[in-house]
Amino acid sequence: MNTPHRSVLYQEIIHALHPVTGGRYVDGTLGAGGHARGIMEASAPDGQLLGLDVDPQALAIARRSLAPYEHRIHLVQASYASLSDQLARLGWDAVDGILLDLGASSMQFDTPERGFSFLQDAPLDMRFGPGMERTAADLVNRYSERELADLIYQYGEERDSRKIARAIVKARPLHTTRELASVIESVSPRRGDRIHPATRTFQALRIAVNEELSSIETVLPQAIEALKPGGRLAVISFHSLEDRIVKDFLREQSRDLVNPPYEQIYEVERRATLKEVNRKPILPSDDEIRDNPRARSAKLRIAQKT
Ligand SMILES: C[S@@+](CC[C@H](N)C(=O)[O-])C[C@H]1O[C@@H](n2cnc3c(N)ncnc32)[C@H](O)[C@@H]1O
């Protein structure tokens, strides 16, 4: 790979999508282009890829690392939530495989000025791309105490959400990651070797700023619609909120919908649209986690269009 950022579950993704010569693929979360490169190599000489990312910096890096394949790659700065529109624009009516490697990239985490990390002082931004309307500072400084507490509880699964929201409202305006982290530390101190007390609040803000959960809910039905029969969808999630949406959707779409439910005589309203390739998610190996700690919480789910 041309990049210092390792793609999580790389072999597993290439195995799951099983790219073939002449196939058409979508990478909805291009990042540095690591998985995309594997797809291009495996689908040589004429497989094609539509690569999306909302982050212009990621696209610029991916464009460089994917230069050898540029004649069969289409790179677009857009959200995967607009998948159907992007495919229509290309004139592709069906594709062989779709990858979503959700969340932020290590490149984004490791760029202090993007504001994702509380370990470095930077403006409270946290936008994946310039298209997002609100920064983390906007939410922190404008939401009511109640709204902040709900957000931190729902998207951060943080038990101390009320205490943290109260402290934020008292201390604001807050402009930087360190300012916010110290407010959180003051009311929610470190407990034993648990994660840093600001971790969950930062996750919650990032999810809200980038409308992460609603984007996933929006793209999944479009992905099924776009796949050819036998085509595969592979989704890597990094926290339980994302994974729950993906898991519930794949389960629901893998069952026939019958009416009335639970009766012996029923009509089939909708046939299952997907088959889950693995009932349990695929997790990174211990070796991968040792080499790339970011992989620690990754879960891969794969489904095949019926
Ligand atoms: C985990 S990284 C992907 C890494 C990539 N698979 C690789 O191999 O380098 C996730 C990427 O998805 C992008 N992203 C997040 N939300 C998005 C959305 N709604 N639409 C498109 N891209 C998004 C982020 O900007 C980030 O670059």
Side-chain angles (χ1 to χ4, degrees), residues 100 102 216 220 233-237 240-252 276 300-302:
L100 297 168
L102 300 172
I216 300 168
L220 292 174
L233 169 66
V235 187
I236 306 178
S237 61
S240 57
L241 299 170
E242 282 172 350
D243 184 57
R244 203 170 306 145
I245 296 174
V246 178
K247 178 175 89 181
D248 290 351
F249 182 83
L250 298 188
R251 291 265 138 98
E252 153 88 20
E276 284 182 278
L300 166 62
R301 294 188 183 271
I302 308 160

Side-chain angles (χ1 to χ4, degrees), residues 7 28-35 53-54 78-80 101 103-104 108 128 294:
S7 303
T29 49
L30 198 62
H35 290 120
D53 205 297
V54 285
S79 169
Y80 56 66
D101 179 11
Q108 290 164 332
F128 287 153
R294 193 185 118 67

Side-chain angles (χ1 to χ4, degrees), residues 1-7 27 29-37 53 57-66 101 105-107:
M1 249 172 53
N2 238 351
T3 144
H5 303 281
R6 275 178 234 100
S7 303
D27 183 343
T29 49
L30 198 62
H35 290 120
R37 193 182 171 99
D53 205 297
Q57 290 174 11
L59 277 176
I61 291 170
R63 188 160 278 126
R64 276 201 301 279
S65 73
L66 297 169
D101 179 11
S105 64
S106 36
M107 213 157 58

Side-chain angles (χ1 to χ4, degrees), residues 13-255:
I13 285 292
I14 302 305
H15 182 74
L17 293 177
H18 187 57
V20 291
T21 302
R24 283 180 169 171
Y25 300 91
V26 177
D27 183 343
T29 49
L30 198 62
H35 290 120
R37 193 182 171 99
I39 295 172
M40 296 322 290
E41 279 166 7
S43 65
D46 57 353
Q48 294 188 58
L49 179 93
L50 167 62
L52 306 175
D53 205 297
V54 285
D55 181 352
Q57 290 174 11
L59 277 176
I61 291 170
R63 188 160 278 126
R64 276 201 301 279
S65 73
L66 297 169
Y69 315 100
E70 76 184 334
H71 57 290
R72 48 194 183 98
I73 273 192
H74 311 266
L75 299 183
V76 184
Q77 186 187 331
S79 169
Y80 56 66
S82 66
L83 177 67
S84 305
D85 287 349
Q86 304 304 330
L87 291 172
R89 228 169 260 177
L90 264 186
W92 288 8
D93 52 2
V95 298
D96 299 276
I98 299 175
L99 164 62
L100 297 168
D101 179 11
L102 300 172
S105 64
S106 36
M107 213 157 58
Q108 290 164 332
F109 273 124
D110 296 345
T111 308
E113 58 275 20
R114 301 292 297 261
F116 290 108
S117 168
F118 45 79
L119 300 175
Q120 319 250 16
D121 203 19
L124 276 170
D125 189 327
M126 299 197 198
R127 289 170 303 161
F128 287 153
M132 303 322 298
E133 282 173 16
R134 302 167 309 179
T135 63
D138 292 333
L139 302 188
V140 160
N141 293 313
R142 292 187 201 156
Y143 267 25
S144 68
E145 184 178 324
R146 173 80 192 265
E147 286 171 322
L148 277 175
D150 288 350
L151 182 151
I152 296 168
Y153 183 70
Q154 282 167 11
Y155 293 164
E157 301 183 292
E158 169 62 69
R159 277 187 296 159
D160 289 337
S161 57
R162 307 231 160 268
K163 264 200 268 179
I164 293 173
R166 200 173 315 129
I168 289 176
V169 168
K170 226 163 118 194
R172 61 193 189 186
L174 295 169
H175 300 295
T176 72
T177 50
R178 280 302 317 154
E179 281 172 9
L180 175 60
S182 356
V183 170
I184 299 168
E185 279 166 307
S186 69
V187 289
S188 179
R190 240 177 230 277
R191 296 188 187 99
D193 61 356
R194 257 188 81 214
I195 53 170
H196 187 284
T199 307
R200 295 178 190 279
T201 302
F202 271 64
Q203 171 186 302
L205 286 166
R206 202 200 78 202
I207 291 176
V209 163
N210 296 293
E211 297 169 5
E212 291 179 49
L213 303 185
S214 62
S215 298
I216 300 168
E217 282 164 352
T218 309
V219 70
L220 292 174
Q222 297 179 43
I224 298 188
E225 186 69 32
L227 283 172
K228 289 180 190 166
R232 285 194 168 183
L233 169 66
V235 187
I236 306 178
S237 61
F238 286 89
H239 54 75
S240 57
L241 299 170
E242 282 172 350
D243 184 57
R244 203 170 306 145
I245 296 174
V246 178
K247 178 175 89 181
D248 290 351
F249 182 83
L250 298 188
R251 291 265 138 98
E252 153 88 20
Q253 293 293 324
S254 311
R255 277 199 293 261

